[in-house]
Amino acid sequence: MNQSIFQPIVLAALSVASIAVAMAWSLIQGQGSGRSRRWLALMTLPGLLALVSFYSLAVHMHIRLSGWPERIGTDGFPPDLITHDGISTGLFSVALVLALCMPAVLVLHALVPRLRSNMIYPAFCGTACWLCLALTALAPAGFLKWWWD
């Protein structure tokens, strides 16, 4: 197998692991209530799940098709790869919508005094989503071309 494919995937895996370690470290440190720490952990899930699903699809696709697809779409893909693509697309869409909507949510939290104390949660969610979406740019060019077309 071509090793150049796995360099970006390894970088993305290290990024996900770093986020997970930072999240676990903050939970272990015990700063804030247990409830708030659980919410912060929950807020990272949309971005992390999208990133993990995205890169697992890249690996799955490369293994099943012995490379990147030559054409746009999923015609001729095995059923399990089509299912994986659907899941990845859905998770990526959720993370993208959350990332795009989060500035408006933050403005709302800033304007409503009762919501200000909870502003950290949407901020954390938006940051995690944007970071994870940005990390998809590390994917191999053949996969990115197929993904965005």
Side-chain angles (χ1 to χ4, degrees):
M1 242 186 231
N2 187 354
Q3 280 190 315
S4 66
I5 310 161
F6 293 103
Q7 291 172 349
I9 292 172
V10 168
L11 287 173
L14 288 173
S15 300
V16 169
S18 299
I19 293 168
V21 166
M23 195 170 75
W25 179 259
S26 69
L27 291 173
I28 291 169
Q29 289 300 310
Q31 296 172 345
S33 70
R35 182 177 175 208
S36 67
R37 288 181 285 153
R38 282 190 296 274
W39 271 105
L40 287 176
L42 186 64
M43 292 295 106
T44 62
L45 284 181
L48 285 175
L49 289 175
L51 188 64
V52 168
S53 178
F54 177 83
Y55 277 102
S56 66
L57 175 64
V59 171
H60 186 188
M61 180 180 290
H62 197 270
I63 290 170
R64 289 291 298 217
L65 302 178
S66 300
W68 307 120
E70 297 292 324
R71 60 188 186 282
I72 299 169
T74 58
D75 292 339
F77 281 17
D80 60 332
L81 193 55
I82 292 172
T83 301
H84 195 162
D85 173 52
I87 292 167
S88 296
T89 301
L91 290 170
F92 189 87
S93 298
V94 167
L96 183 62
V97 167
L98 284 172
L100 292 174
C101 292
M102 219 40 73
V105 172
L106 290 172
V107 167
L108 177 68
H109 275 72
L111 294 176
V112 179
R114 291 183 65 196
L115 295 177
R116 281 190 200 135
S117 63
N118 292 322
M119 193 173 194
I120 186 71
Y121 302 114
F124 205 75
C125 181
T127 302
C129 286
W130 278 112
L131 177 63
C132 292
L133 292 174
L135 289 173
T136 62
L138 298 174
F143 180 71
L144 284 176
K145 181 180 178 195
W146 173 84
W147 178 262
W148 289 114
D149 283 341

